[in-house]
Amino acid sequence: MDGNSQQKTIPTVYNMSSSKAREVLWALEEIADAGIKYNIVNLPRRGADTTKVLKSHFPLGKSPTVTLEHVDGEAEVTYQIIPNVLTETRLILQFISDHYTDGIWIPESEEDKARDTFFQEFANGSLLAKVNFIVTFEVIPAMLFFPLRQLTLLMVLPIRLHFMNDLTISYQILDDALSEERPWFSGKKLGLADLNMIFPMDQAVGGGYIKLEKYPKLAKWHDTVINRPAYKRALEKGGPYDLATYA
Ligand SMILES: N[C@@H](CCC(=O)N[C@@H](CS)C(=O)NCC(=O)O)C(=O)O
């Protein structure tokens, strides 16, 4: 790790509105009090230049994308496949943990380490994929005009309901995993699994794809996260977020 007093790289987060970049901003705000510095470039989701800016750093043009500036003048280090560029949220969060913290997010027991790894994968795999199926079937009709919009909405309703039902199994897995002793997906303390979980959970809550009252422990986890000062600062700095309309 770089050590907080000698941060070796300054990250710049390319943050598209209503995107997964909120996880990266939340992580960086969690450690901002320790003196970790970062820059942020806010890009509107439907802005003409957004894809161009993102693609100028990585061909996929996705948010979050992070570029790194070496404070000691070291010009180029390839941490992934392009010098000084990080992509893929889970890996960006891991980089932040490895380079900007003194291990605060590393679980203390083997049991919690296994759980932390599992839920990082679950968040980015099963949960995000299923939530995004619903988002896709909502976004497509929203892009159309009368009468196509109404027709398409009717056509996709059964598909949307199918995925909503399917998601209840995932929510139950998440709810069952939480307890007084282990209130975080990373275990006894907040960690990478929690940081990776917030975007799909915010999507589910924002889009109305979950009845939180059915999952009290998951509801409490979500409420705890969204009331953390670091999370609130992340959303303020990241600009407008709307996970119902993806504006
Ligand atoms: N696997 C990537 C996914 C990133 C991603 O798909 N980001 C979305 C926003 S949440 C995006 O940039 N979409 C813009 C587009 O697809 O053009 C990650 O985990 O960071």
Side-chain angles (χ1 to χ4, degrees), residues 16 18-20 45 61-64 88-90 124 199:
M16 183 176 74
S18 306
S19 83
K20 244 174 155 237
R45 185 167 263 266
K62 298 284 183 190
S63 170
E88 298 299 332
T89 313
R90 187 173 71 76
N124 286 288
F199 184 65

Side-chain angles (χ1 to χ4, degrees), residues 1-4 6-9 36 79 94-102:
M1 70 97 194
D2 288 346
N4 297 356
Q6 42 176 328
Q7 187 181 355
K8 287 186 183 150
T9 53
I36 293 300
Y79 296 97
Q94 185 68 56
F95 181 95
I96 293 170
S97 176
D98 293 346
H99 291 258
Y100 304 141
T101 79
D102 50 8

Side-chain angles (χ1 to χ4, degrees), residues 92-149:
I92 298 170
L93 293 171
Q94 185 68 56
F95 181 95
I96 293 170
S97 176
D98 293 346
H99 291 258
Y100 304 141
T101 79
D102 50 8
I104 48 166
W105 297 325
I106 298 175
E108 279 153 16
S109 68
E110 287 307 315
E111 191 182 340
D112 279 2
K113 272 184 199 154
R115 167 196 175 97
D116 182 52
T117 305
F118 173 80
F119 281 117
Q120 285 183 54
E121 188 65 25
F122 191 85
N124 286 288
S126 302
L127 183 63
L128 188 67
K130 286 174 194 291
V131 170
N132 275 340
F133 281 139
I134 305 183
V135 174
T136 307
F137 284 107
E138 297 221 320
V139 167
I140 293 171
M143 289 159 77
L144 304 171
F145 295 101
F146 179 84
L148 265 185
R149 174 184 290 188

Side-chain angles (χ1 to χ4, degrees), residues 22 26 29-30 33 184 190 194 198 202 205 212 218-236:
R22 72 169 48 188
W26 175 29
E29 282 301 323
E30 284 287 338
D33 286 347
W184 299 100
L190 180 145
D194 301 286
I198 195 60
D202 276 352
V205 174
L212 271 178
L218 185 55
K220 189 174 169 200
W221 171 87
H222 189 254
D223 194 55
T224 305
V225 172
I226 64 174
N227 281 300
R228 282 180 83 85
Y231 175 91
K232 289 185 178 173
R233 285 198 304 273
L235 291 206
E236 273 164 29

